[in-house]
Each structure stands twice: as C-alpha cells, then as structure tokens.
C-alpha cells in the first residue's frame, strides 16, 4: 500500500504559502480567493479532487470538519481568519497524531 502524499505535513506546507488575502469563507472560490477546499481544487462547479478528498478525510479522521473550521462555525478554533483557523487545526492534527505515533 502506498502512503498518501496528501498528509498533514503536505497541507501545512501548502497552506502556509498562501497569503491571508487569498482565503475566503462561505464559498469554494471567488476568483483568486478560495476556502481550504477551494485551494485543493475541490468544490467549484461540483468538482472533486484527490487532494480535496484527502483534506476532508484527514479532518474527518480527527473528528473535525474542514468547512466548519474554515468558515468559523466551530467553537474549537477561534482564530480570526480562515487561514489561521485551518493552520491551527492542521497543527492540532499533527500534534495529536505524533502523540499516537501516526505521523
């Protein structure tokens, strides 16, 4: 079985490079600005991608929801911007999985 290249470290590095002003809420894409899934090419006109599915699965496996965190609809991650909320969630996942030896 091959290891999925779209792991927590991949997403941390990918999203770290995207400027704050290129993040949005409540829609996948609005020109250059996108939500976390939109930055994975997911959702626009019903499109799905392996990268987007991997992000959804990563969050789901850790009992989190990408859209809720991106859009600020959860009380668990209270950062001010979609990027900082998603990055906080990814770092939470990384820390949690490293404690379990799953990283």
């Amino acid at each position: 079985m091959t290891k999925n290249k779209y792991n927590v470290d991949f997403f941390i590095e990918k999203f770290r490079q995207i400027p704050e002003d290129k993040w949005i809420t409540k829609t996948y894409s609005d020109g250059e600005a996108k939500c976390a899934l939109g930055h994975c090419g997911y959702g626009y006109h019903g499109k799905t991608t392996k990268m987007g599915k991997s992000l959804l699965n990563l969050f789901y496996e850790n009992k989190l929801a990408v859209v809720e965190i991106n859009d600020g609809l959860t009380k668990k991650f209270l950062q001010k911007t979609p990027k900082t909320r998603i990055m906080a969630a990814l770092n939470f996942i990384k820390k949690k999985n490293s404690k379990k030896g799953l990283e």
Side-chain angles (χ1 to χ4, degrees), residues 29-91:
S29 177
D30 182 17
E32 287 186 35
K34 297 173 177 43
C35 70
L37 288 169
H39 284 298
C40 295
Y42 188 95
Y44 192 64
H45 294 295
K47 183 177 179 182
T48 61
T49 62
K50 185 174 180 178
M51 188 188 312
K53 287 179 186 178
S54 295
L55 182 64
L56 285 168
N57 287 336
L58 177 67
F59 275 61
Y60 179 78
E61 290 166 358
N62 288 279
K63 297 177 173 64
L64 299 172
V66 176
V67 174
E68 288 181 5
I69 293 168
N70 185 92
D71 291 359
L73 303 174
T74 179
K75 294 180 181 178
K76 187 162 190 163
F77 298 96
L78 301 175
Q79 292 76 8
K80 291 186 178 193
T81 68
K83 177 180 180 174
T84 55
R85 288 189 294 270
I86 291 293
M87 293 301 291
L90 287 167
N91 285 308

Side-chain angles (χ1 to χ4, degrees), residues 5-19 23 36 39-40 51 55 58-59 83 86-91 94 103:
K5 71 177 180 175
Y6 301 123
N7 59 25
V8 70
D9 291 322
F10 171 87
F11 288 114
I12 288 171
E13 183 58 25
K14 175 179 180 54
F15 294 146
R16 183 187 63 75
Q17 296 178 39
I18 301 170
W23 287 78
H39 284 298
C40 295
M51 188 188 312
L55 182 64
L58 177 67
F59 275 61
K83 177 180 180 174
I86 291 293
M87 293 301 291
L90 287 167
N91 285 308
K94 182 176 175 80
E103 198 172 30

Side-chain angles (χ1 to χ4, degrees), residues 19-36:
E20 289 279 350
D21 66 342
K22 301 298 182 201
W23 287 78
I24 58 172
T25 60
K26 299 183 179 43
T27 187
Y28 292 108
S29 177
D30 182 17
E32 287 186 35
K34 297 173 177 43
C35 70

